[in-house]
Amino acid sequence: MSSNTQSLTQSTLAQASLSSIDFVEYQGLARILHHCLIRYPEADFIQGLKECDVAGSWPEFGGREQNRTGRQLLGDFLEQWSTDVEAAEFEKAVITLKLDYGQLFFGPGEPTAVPHGSVYLCEEQLINDRTTVELMDFYRAHGVELQLDYKQPMDHIGLFFAVLDQTFGRLQTETDNQALLRFTQVLLQQHLLPWAFRCCELAVEHARTDFYRGIALLTSDFLAQLQQDFQIVALDKRLYR
């Protein structure tokens, strides 16, 4: 098969797969995961997830076990979440959730599920290492800009979902944009999927609340669905944790 024919075939297959995607829904999921992973949780945000029945409305996708368990854990957590309790009890619940986020993704000390790609992909296990620079160059070449609340490494898993939020928003009306499709495939294949499943695995292992255990499972499942939808195989890179 010639390279041109192969390229055309891959494009046709990709278009057939993408035609079944509800990019409005995908954008909403990416936005939720961005907010869950990028910063410490706030009570109003958790309450909003409950009122919107996020767990109940989360798509089942291919019916994978991590999807079922993730929706169950998140749903159980949100069902028990209530503002109609004594102030001291509610404050304790919020602090417990914040402490869980901190030990997983922020600190103090080394997080148990470091959210930065370079820590997994580079032997020195440092943030802002070589792969972070490669990602920044990739974004610069494609005109990607993000408004950050504070300066942080661009390969934070939560920021990837901010970029996917923007991308899915465009794909709602630009489903035949081959350049945008290719950008998404490369972003996933080369920069996110090689390490993100490991980050989610560590988050599931070390989470102390059903909220973050559920979110980690749903994140991993969503990434698996994107891998299937965009018909890509993640680059096989050595992971250092």
Side-chain angles (χ1 to χ4, degrees), residues 29-177:
L29 299 181
R31 187 166 300 179
I32 289 170
L33 293 178
H34 163 68
H35 286 295
C36 287
L37 297 170
I38 198 62
R39 61 175 63 88
Y40 278 90
E42 298 294 341
D44 289 346
F45 175 68
I46 303 300
Q47 183 64 28
L49 296 180
K50 178 176 182 175
E51 292 175 356
C52 293
D53 189 24
V54 167
S57 61
W58 196 278
E60 296 182 13
F61 292 130
R64 291 173 284 267
E65 177 62 24
Q66 57 190 350
N67 179 284
R68 186 192 65 79
T69 304
R71 287 186 294 111
Q72 184 67 52
L73 289 170
L74 182 60
D76 290 347
F77 179 89
L78 293 177
E79 184 177 357
Q80 297 171 14
W81 181 267
S82 175
T83 58
D84 298 328
V85 295
E86 294 184 1
E89 183 179 348
F90 183 66
E91 182 179 2
K92 181 180 179 180
V94 174
I95 290 175
T96 297
L97 204 57
K98 288 180 180 289
L99 288 174
D100 199 22
Y101 178 87
Q103 68 90 15
L104 285 171
F105 303 120
F106 196 84
E110 183 169 83
T112 54
V114 180
H116 306 104
S118 65
V119 175
Y120 298 87
L121 298 173
C122 296
E123 187 172 5
E124 294 78 8
Q125 300 182 45
L126 302 174
I127 61 173
N128 285 323
D129 209 327
R130 170 182 50 80
T131 56
T132 314
V133 175
E134 292 172 357
L135 175 64
M136 293 172 64
D137 289 341
F138 176 68
Y139 282 162
R140 191 176 300 111
H142 290 85
V144 174
E145 296 183 0
L146 291 173
Q147 299 297 322
L148 305 180
D149 294 337
Y150 54 90
K151 189 175 181 179
Q152 59 182 301
M154 293 298 291
D155 60 347
H156 190 295
I157 191 170
L159 292 180
F160 277 96
F161 283 107
V163 174
L164 289 172
D165 178 346
Q166 294 180 5
T167 303
F168 295 149
R170 290 183 59 190
L171 284 172
Q172 293 172 31
T173 57
E174 302 178 40
T175 53
D176 59 346
N177 186 331

